[in-house]
Short mmCIF file of all heavy atoms in Angstrom, two decimals:
data_model
loop_
_atom_site.label_atom_id
_atom_site.label_comp_id
_atom_site.label_asym_id
_atom_site.label_seq_id
_atom_site.Cartn_x
_atom_site.Cartn_y
_atom_site.Cartn_z
N TYR A 655 141.51 44.20 95.30
CA TYR A 655 141.36 42.75 95.51
C TYR A 655 140.94 41.94 94.30
O TYR A 655 141.55 40.93 93.95
CB TYR A 655 140.38 42.48 96.64
CG TYR A 655 140.21 41.06 97.03
CD1 TYR A 655 141.12 40.39 97.84
CD2 TYR A 655 139.13 40.30 96.54
CE1 TYR A 655 140.94 39.11 98.14
CE2 TYR A 655 138.90 38.97 96.86
CZ TYR A 655 139.88 38.36 97.66
OH TYR A 655 139.70 37.06 97.95
N SER A 656 139.89 42.40 93.58
CA SER A 656 139.28 41.59 92.48
C SER A 656 140.32 41.36 91.43
O SER A 656 140.44 40.18 90.97
CB SER A 656 138.06 42.32 91.97
OG SER A 656 137.10 42.47 92.92
N LEU A 657 140.99 42.41 90.90
CA LEU A 657 141.91 42.24 89.83
C LEU A 657 143.09 41.40 90.30
O LEU A 657 143.58 40.52 89.57
CB LEU A 657 142.37 43.58 89.38
CG LEU A 657 143.17 43.64 88.12
CD1 LEU A 657 142.42 42.98 86.94
CD2 LEU A 657 143.56 45.11 87.72
N THR A 658 143.62 41.64 91.50
CA THR A 658 144.80 40.90 92.00
C THR A 658 144.44 39.40 92.14
O THR A 658 145.20 38.54 91.65
CB THR A 658 145.21 41.40 93.39
OG1 THR A 658 145.61 42.77 93.31
CG2 THR A 658 146.38 40.63 93.95
N TYR A 659 143.31 39.16 92.73
CA TYR A 659 142.91 37.75 93.02
C TYR A 659 142.75 36.95 91.74
O TYR A 659 143.28 35.86 91.61
CB TYR A 659 141.58 37.82 93.74
CG TYR A 659 141.16 36.44 94.39
CD1 TYR A 659 141.72 35.99 95.61
CD2 TYR A 659 140.27 35.61 93.73
CE1 TYR A 659 141.32 34.81 96.13
CE2 TYR A 659 139.86 34.41 94.27
CZ TYR A 659 140.43 33.98 95.48
OH TYR A 659 140.06 32.80 95.99
N THR A 660 142.05 37.55 90.77
CA THR A 660 141.73 36.80 89.56
C THR A 660 142.99 36.63 88.69
O THR A 660 143.22 35.50 88.21
CB THR A 660 140.66 37.53 88.72
OG1 THR A 660 139.54 37.87 89.55
CG2 THR A 660 140.18 36.70 87.58
N LEU A 661 143.73 37.63 88.55
CA LEU A 661 144.99 37.51 87.69
C LEU A 661 146.03 36.55 88.32
O LEU A 661 146.62 35.73 87.64
CB LEU A 661 145.62 38.89 87.48
CG LEU A 661 144.86 39.82 86.59
CD1 LEU A 661 145.59 41.15 86.49
CD2 LEU A 661 144.65 39.23 85.23
N ALA A 662 146.15 36.62 89.65
CA ALA A 662 147.12 35.79 90.35
C ALA A 662 146.76 34.36 90.26
O ALA A 662 147.56 33.48 89.96
CB ALA A 662 147.30 36.23 91.83
N ILE A 663 145.41 33.99 90.50
CA ILE A 663 145.02 32.68 90.44
C ILE A 663 145.03 32.15 89.00
O ILE A 663 145.40 30.98 88.71
CB ILE A 663 143.54 32.56 90.95
CG1 ILE A 663 143.55 32.95 92.45
CG2 ILE A 663 143.04 31.17 90.80
CD1 ILE A 663 144.41 32.06 93.32
N GLY A 664 144.72 33.08 88.00
CA GLY A 664 144.76 32.65 86.63
C GLY A 664 146.18 32.27 86.20
O GLY A 664 146.42 31.24 85.51
N ILE A 665 147.16 33.13 86.56
CA ILE A 665 148.58 32.83 86.27
C ILE A 665 148.98 31.55 86.96
O ILE A 665 149.65 30.64 86.38
CB ILE A 665 149.46 33.98 86.74
CG1 ILE A 665 149.19 35.21 85.84
CG2 ILE A 665 150.95 33.61 86.53
CD1 ILE A 665 149.79 36.49 86.32
N SER A 666 148.59 31.38 88.21
CA SER A 666 148.86 30.13 88.98
C SER A 666 148.32 28.88 88.31
O SER A 666 149.00 27.86 88.27
CB SER A 666 148.31 30.29 90.36
OG SER A 666 148.42 29.08 91.10
N ALA A 667 147.13 29.02 87.74
CA ALA A 667 146.50 27.89 87.07
C ALA A 667 147.35 27.42 85.92
O ALA A 667 147.59 26.16 85.74
CB ALA A 667 145.12 28.26 86.56
N VAL A 668 147.84 28.32 85.08
CA VAL A 668 148.69 27.99 83.95
C VAL A 668 150.06 27.47 84.36
O VAL A 668 150.51 26.37 83.92
CB VAL A 668 148.84 29.15 82.96
CG1 VAL A 668 149.79 28.83 81.84
CG2 VAL A 668 147.51 29.59 82.47
N VAL A 669 150.77 28.21 85.24
CA VAL A 669 152.11 27.87 85.64
C VAL A 669 152.08 26.54 86.41
O VAL A 669 152.97 25.69 86.21
CB VAL A 669 152.72 29.00 86.52
CG1 VAL A 669 154.06 28.57 87.13
CG2 VAL A 669 152.85 30.25 85.70
N GLY A 670 151.14 26.40 87.33
CA GLY A 670 151.10 25.21 88.16
C GLY A 670 150.80 23.93 87.39
O GLY A 670 151.10 22.83 87.84
N THR A 671 150.16 24.12 86.22
CA THR A 671 149.87 22.94 85.35
C THR A 671 151.04 22.64 84.43
O THR A 671 151.37 21.48 84.29
CB THR A 671 148.56 23.26 84.49
OG1 THR A 671 147.53 23.48 85.40
CG2 THR A 671 148.26 22.04 83.65
N ILE A 672 151.61 23.63 83.82
CA ILE A 672 152.66 23.42 82.81
C ILE A 672 153.97 23.05 83.44
O ILE A 672 154.70 22.17 82.90
CB ILE A 672 152.79 24.67 81.95
CG1 ILE A 672 151.47 25.01 81.18
CG2 ILE A 672 153.91 24.48 80.90
CD1 ILE A 672 150.99 23.86 80.31
N LEU A 673 154.36 23.74 84.56
CA LEU A 673 155.71 23.49 85.13
C LEU A 673 155.96 22.03 85.44
O LEU A 673 157.02 21.54 85.08
CB LEU A 673 155.88 24.37 86.38
CG LEU A 673 156.58 25.69 86.22
CD1 LEU A 673 156.78 26.38 87.56
CD2 LEU A 673 157.93 25.56 85.52
N PRO A 674 155.06 21.36 86.17
CA PRO A 674 155.33 19.91 86.47
C PRO A 674 155.50 19.04 85.23
O PRO A 674 156.34 18.15 85.20
CB PRO A 674 154.14 19.49 87.29
CG PRO A 674 153.56 20.72 87.88
CD PRO A 674 153.88 21.80 86.85
N LEU A 675 154.71 19.35 84.16
CA LEU A 675 154.83 18.59 82.92
C LEU A 675 156.17 18.84 82.22
O LEU A 675 156.75 17.95 81.63
CB LEU A 675 153.70 18.97 81.99
CG LEU A 675 152.24 18.55 82.43
CD1 LEU A 675 151.23 19.06 81.44
CD2 LEU A 675 152.16 17.11 82.63
N LEU A 676 156.68 20.09 82.32
CA LEU A 676 157.92 20.41 81.75
C LEU A 676 159.10 19.80 82.46
O LEU A 676 160.06 19.23 81.90
CB LEU A 676 158.14 21.98 81.65
CG LEU A 676 157.23 22.74 80.64
CD1 LEU A 676 157.48 24.24 80.87
CD2 LEU A 676 157.59 22.25 79.25
N ILE A 677 159.01 19.86 83.82
CA ILE A 677 160.11 19.33 84.67
C ILE A 677 160.14 17.81 84.72
O ILE A 677 161.18 17.16 84.59
CB ILE A 677 160.00 19.89 86.08
CG1 ILE A 677 160.25 21.40 86.01
CG2 ILE A 677 161.01 19.22 86.99
CD1 ILE A 677 160.09 22.14 87.32
N PHE A 678 158.94 17.21 84.93
CA PHE A 678 158.89 15.73 85.07
C PHE A 678 158.65 14.99 83.72
O PHE A 678 158.69 13.80 83.64
CB PHE A 678 157.78 15.37 86.06
CG PHE A 678 158.03 15.87 87.46
CD1 PHE A 678 157.35 16.91 87.98
CD2 PHE A 678 159.03 15.30 88.24
CE1 PHE A 678 157.60 17.45 89.19
CE2 PHE A 678 159.29 15.77 89.47
CZ PHE A 678 158.58 16.82 90.02
N GLY A 679 158.39 15.78 82.64
CA GLY A 679 158.23 15.21 81.29
C GLY A 679 156.80 14.83 81.04
O GLY A 679 155.93 14.77 81.89
N GLY A 680 156.48 14.65 79.73
CA GLY A 680 155.19 14.18 79.28
C GLY A 680 154.20 15.24 78.87
O GLY A 680 153.01 14.93 78.68
N LEU A 681 154.69 16.41 78.55
CA LEU A 681 153.86 17.50 78.13
C LEU A 681 153.01 17.16 76.86
O LEU A 681 151.83 17.30 76.80
CB LEU A 681 154.60 18.80 77.92
CG LEU A 681 153.81 20.03 77.44
CD1 LEU A 681 152.79 20.38 78.52
CD2 LEU A 681 154.75 21.25 77.21
N GLY A 682 153.75 16.64 75.87
CA GLY A 682 153.11 16.23 74.64
C GLY A 682 152.24 15.00 74.76
O GLY A 682 151.16 14.95 74.17
N ASP A 683 152.74 14.05 75.54
CA ASP A 683 151.96 12.76 75.66
C ASP A 683 150.62 12.97 76.26
O ASP A 683 149.65 12.29 75.94
CB ASP A 683 152.81 11.77 76.52
CG ASP A 683 154.16 11.39 75.79
OD1 ASP A 683 154.19 11.53 74.60
OD2 ASP A 683 155.08 10.98 76.52
N PHE A 684 150.52 13.86 77.30
CA PHE A 684 149.28 14.07 77.98
C PHE A 684 148.20 14.56 77.10
O PHE A 684 147.03 14.23 77.23
CB PHE A 684 149.48 15.04 79.19
CG PHE A 684 150.05 14.36 80.35
CD1 PHE A 684 151.34 14.79 80.88
CD2 PHE A 684 149.45 13.37 80.97
CE1 PHE A 684 151.85 14.15 81.98
CE2 PHE A 684 149.90 12.73 82.16
CZ PHE A 684 151.19 13.17 82.65
N PHE A 685 148.54 15.46 76.13
CA PHE A 685 147.49 16.05 75.32
C PHE A 685 147.19 15.23 74.06
O PHE A 685 146.23 15.49 73.35
CB PHE A 685 147.92 17.46 74.92
CG PHE A 685 147.98 18.39 76.13
CD1 PHE A 685 149.14 19.05 76.42
CD2 PHE A 685 146.90 18.58 76.92
CE1 PHE A 685 149.24 19.90 77.51
CE2 PHE A 685 146.96 19.43 78.00
CZ PHE A 685 148.10 20.12 78.32
N THR A 686 148.04 14.21 73.75
CA THR A 686 147.80 13.39 72.51
C THR A 686 147.12 12.02 72.91
O THR A 686 146.75 11.38 72.05
CB THR A 686 149.11 13.11 71.80
OG1 THR A 686 150.08 12.52 72.68
CG2 THR A 686 149.76 14.36 71.26
#
Side-chain angles (χ1 to χ4, degrees):
Y655 181 79
S656 296
L657 191 57
T658 300
Y659 192 81
T660 310
L661 291 179
I663 297 300
I665 294 170
S666 173
V668 176
V669 173
T671 300
I672 300 300
L673 265 185
L675 294 178
L676 289 174
I677 293 176
F678 297 106
L681 180 61
D683 296 337
F684 279 118
F685 295 121
T686 55

